[in-house]
């Protein structure tokens, strides 16, 4: 077994993502010699203790980060400013602060200015998840074969970036670096907009008159079923993602609405060729995803 990458890894938030990292650390032994976990609620802390996936379960975030050489924030992105204010004075000199948040410019905006000099900041985002949340939802294979995007800042310490790269490699992920604004635009189209559409379409179905609503559930075709899976995701996490990637999400939504209008026009005027062409493009994207093992 390789040497542990870190002496003490503090996880701030132990839901789907944080508890998956904790499980990997437990299973491999070479992420950190000691894992400390903190969360907001007593119920989550008790559950993490019962699962035995952290060496120390600590209700106070300031105490959780004390002496940690790596702090990984795994909470909803709307909580970052408050978390940053709570932990910043207690961070050890030379510590690396990293995260897993789904938006990157907001994380850099909210956390960056709070971190003291001598603490290295390496924002990251593993592109892996499910619609489930909480410490029971995590599993050690979550990041296997998936991408983790790092969005280091111009002045980021190369050695700190390399250690976070290695951490994600040991979690089974493929790692790439990306500029934060570019990350937010790419994620707006591949993840944030699809979630917005799923939440919206479920709302539209739910607004139908009572008798058709019952039929929507009873006869849900696979298309609608797939949307309901995505729509089952955590409301706090997704509210925070939408509000913290506002510009890119609104831009992608505007483009989507234009294209949806064009499709509506083709349907209205019986333009079968246009419709078929769009469906063929969709099928091509699906086939490419399968080919690169990201389906
Ligand atoms: P989750 O399962 O809902 O877990 C969130 C965790 O954060 C919980 O342990 C929660 O504690 C804790 N938390 C919330 N507010 C906190 C605060 N103020 N201080 C300390 N802890 C706090 O969420 P998740 O799916 O793991 O998502 C975590 C992060 O990963 C988010 O930023 C999300 O954008 C990102 N992400 C999610 C996915 C996905 O598909 N789910 C994929 C990639 C990245 P309590 O349980 O006590 O409230």
């Amino acid at each position: 077994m390789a040497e542990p990458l870190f002496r003490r890894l503090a996880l701030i938030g132990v839901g789907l993502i944080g508890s998956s990292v904790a499980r990997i650390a437990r299973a491999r032994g070479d992420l950190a010699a000691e894992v400390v976990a903190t969360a907001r609620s007593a119920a989550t802390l008790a559950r993490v203790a019962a699962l035995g996936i952290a060496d120390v379960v600590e209700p106070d975030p300031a105490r959780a980060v004390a002496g940690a050489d790596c702090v990984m924030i795994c909470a909803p992105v709307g909580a970052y400013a408050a978390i940053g204010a709570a932990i910043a004075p207690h961070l050890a000199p030379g510590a690396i602060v990293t995260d897993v948040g789904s938006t990157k410019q907001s994380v850099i905006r909210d956390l960056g200015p709070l971190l003291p000099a001598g603490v290295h900041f390496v924002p990251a985002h593993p592109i892996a998840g499910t619609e489930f949340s909480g410490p029971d939802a995590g599993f050690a294979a979550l990041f296997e074969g998936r991408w983790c995007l790092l969005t280091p800042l111009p002045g980021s310490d190369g050695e700190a970036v390399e250690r976070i790269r290695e951490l994600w490699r040991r979690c089974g992920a493929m790692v790439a670096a990306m500029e934060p604004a570019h990350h937010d635009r790419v994620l707006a189209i591949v993840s944030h907009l699809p979630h917005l559409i799923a939440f919206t379409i479920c709302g539209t179905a739910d607004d139908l008159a009572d008798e058709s609503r019952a039929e929507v559930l009873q006869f849900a075709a696979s298309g609608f079923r797939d949307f309901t899976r995505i729509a089952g995701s955590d409301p706090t996490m997704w509210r925070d993602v939408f509000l913290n990637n506002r510009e890119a999400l609104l831009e992608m939504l505007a483009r989507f609405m234009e294209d949806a209008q064009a499709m509506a026009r083709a349907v209205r005027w019986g333009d079968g060729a246009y419709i078929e062409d769009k469906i063929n493009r969709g099928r091509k994207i699906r086939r490419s995803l399968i080919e690169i093992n990201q389906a």
Side-chain angles (χ1 to χ4, degrees):
M1 189 179 76
E3 277 286 293
L5 263 174
F6 296 104
R7 246 179 316 101
R8 184 175 156 105
L9 168 66
L11 298 172
I12 317 282
V14 258
L16 170 70
I17 304 290
S19 78
S20 295
V21 173
R23 283 175 170 90
I24 295 166
R26 180 59 93 231
R28 293 184 53 114
D30 64 355
L31 292 194
E34 185 182 43
V35 173
V36 189
T38 186
R40 204 175 29 167
S41 68
T44 296
L45 293 169
R47 192 62 199 136
V48 172
L51 288 168
I53 52 177
D55 300 297
V56 181
V57 177
E58 171 57 65
D60 178 4
R63 287 170 60 107
V65 303
D69 49 351
C70 184
V71 174
M72 184 186 280
I73 303 178
C74 305
V77 291
Y80 274 44
I83 290 172
I87 64 172
H90 309 279
L91 293 166
I96 298 175
V97 173
T98 186
D99 81 305
V100 300
S102 307
T103 61
K104 296 276 55 100
Q105 290 178 108
S106 78
V107 162
I108 292 165
R109 174 199 70 204
D110 290 351
L111 208 53
L114 300 171
L115 301 180
V119 166
H120 308 296
F121 184 25
V122 185
H125 177 206
I127 308 193
T130 72
E131 67 276 31
F132 301 110
S133 49
D136 284 288
F139 54 99
L142 178 62
F143 310 112
E144 208 66 58
R146 312 310 302 270
W147 283 98
C148 181
L149 298 176
L150 308 187
T151 61
L153 306 166
S156 285
D157 177 66
E159 154 91 27
V161 174
E162 191 41 51
R163 290 177 78 190
I164 296 303
R165 244 178 212 283
E166 180 58 20
L167 182 145
W168 285 107
R169 277 194 213 110
R170 291 187 190 188
C171 288
M174 306 178 286
V175 186
M178 208 179 251
E179 201 266 317
H182 187 59
H183 167 280
D184 287 358
R185 281 173 58 82
V186 171
L187 269 291
I189 188 72
V190 301
S191 170
H192 308 167
L193 180 62
H195 277 82
L196 184 149
I197 293 170
F199 297 134
T200 308
I201 201 168
C202 288
T204 306
D206 198 43
D207 284 343
L208 294 173
D210 276 351
E211 74 279 13
S212 7
R213 187 189 300 146
E215 282 158 353
V216 164
L217 293 180
Q218 192 176 351
F219 304 121
S222 63
F224 185 69
R225 261 206 316 263
D226 288 351
F227 277 119
T228 63
R229 184 189 63 72
I230 301 177
S233 303
D234 184 68
T236 308
M237 175 196 145
W238 282 101
R239 176 202 65 196
D240 285 4
V241 169
F242 289 0
L243 294 178
N244 286 283
N245 195 18
R246 194 188 316 253
E247 261 123 64
L249 178 58
L250 289 177
E251 183 199 325
M252 298 306 165
L253 179 61
R255 285 181 179 226
F256 170 78
M257 290 196 304
E258 247 179 53
D259 292 343
Q261 280 299 339
M263 182 62 113
R265 192 179 159 79
V267 171
R268 181 178 311 284
W269 293 99
D271 187 347
Y274 181 95
I275 298 170
E276 213 181 311
D277 178 59
K278 286 287 174 267
I279 298 173
N280 274 323
R281 279 175 73 180
R283 280 163 61 104
K284 219 164 109 197
I285 290 181
R286 177 70 191 167
R287 275 199 301 272
S288 318
L289 268 188
I290 293 171
E291 275 161 25
I292 60 169
N293 289 325
Q294 297 295 315

